[in-house]
């Protein structure tokens, strides 16, 4: 699959059915919106979408092509079959770990947003609009 720079690959508003292995190009990961600052740059050889494939929920972040990119998609059914056939316990443990990672990521984003808000209030007087 090919992506042009600026194309959105994953979104919390859409289900994801694939692990996307980046073959060429670069992707960025954004939490609050696709326009928010990137929290991670994904380079060739890495993948995105693993957690949503494992836990069956929509992605927790937006993944946007930073530049023209190529990805190889691996469907959720194949991943589940390979993991389930190998060891059902591993499948359950992966689900638990995926949930923990997503939950902690959401908390970190909430805390970062709160820190930014409090920093703004500490630097700028709300009544006068002047810097403290």
């Amino acid at each position: 699959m090919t992506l042009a720079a600026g194309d959105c690959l994953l979104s919390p508003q859409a289900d994801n059915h694939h692990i996307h292995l980046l073959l060429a190009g670069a992707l960025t990961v954004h939490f609050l919106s696709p326009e928010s600052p990137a929290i991670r740059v994904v380079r060739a050889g890495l993948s995105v979408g693993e957690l949503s494939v494992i836990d069956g929920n929509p992605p927790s972040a937006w993944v946007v092509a930073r530049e023209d990119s190529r990805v190889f998609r691996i469907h959720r059914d194949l991943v589940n079959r390979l993991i389930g056939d190998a060891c059902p316990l591993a499948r359950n443990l992966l689900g638990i770990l995926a949930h923990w990672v997503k939950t902690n990521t959401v908390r970190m984003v909430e805390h970062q947003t709160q820190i930014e808000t409090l920093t703004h209030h500490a630097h700028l007087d709300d009544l006068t609009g002047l810097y403290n």
Side-chain angles (χ1 to χ4, degrees):
M1 172 179 186
T2 59
L3 301 166
D7 285 353
C8 186
L9 178 63
L10 296 174
S11 164
Q13 291 136 355
D15 285 336
N16 174 39
H17 300 283
H18 298 88
I19 292 176
H20 303 272
L21 176 62
L22 184 59
L23 301 175
L27 307 171
T28 52
V29 180
H30 309 262
F31 277 120
L32 300 177
S33 75
E35 295 80 27
S36 65
I39 57 102
R40 179 177 165 209
V41 176
V42 179
R43 304 271 180 211
L46 299 177
S47 61
V48 294
E50 309 90 346
L51 293 178
S52 58
V53 164
I54 291 169
D55 71 7
N57 292 314
S60 57
W62 283 266
V63 177
V64 178
R66 182 176 184 179
E67 57 193 56
D68 292 349
S69 302
R70 272 185 324 139
V71 297
F72 179 76
R73 301 180 340 156
I74 304 169
H75 196 272
R76 148 187 302 168
D77 292 343
L78 176 60
V79 173
N80 287 336
R81 191 170 55 236
L82 292 172
I83 294 170
D85 288 350
C87 180
L89 177 61
R91 172 86 179 114
N92 290 339
L93 289 174
L94 283 173
I96 291 168
L97 290 173
H99 174 74
W100 287 352
V101 168
K102 279 189 169 183
T103 300
N104 287 335
T105 300
V106 167
R107 285 187 186 146
M108 287 175 19
V109 170
E110 289 171 350
H111 290 148
Q112 183 62 35
T113 303
Q114 185 178 22
I115 289 168
E116 290 170 2
T117 301
L118 293 173
T119 301
H120 172 75
H121 290 304
H123 290 190
L124 193 66
D125 184 274
D126 285 339
L127 181 61
T128 63
L130 299 174
Y131 286 100
N132 290 330

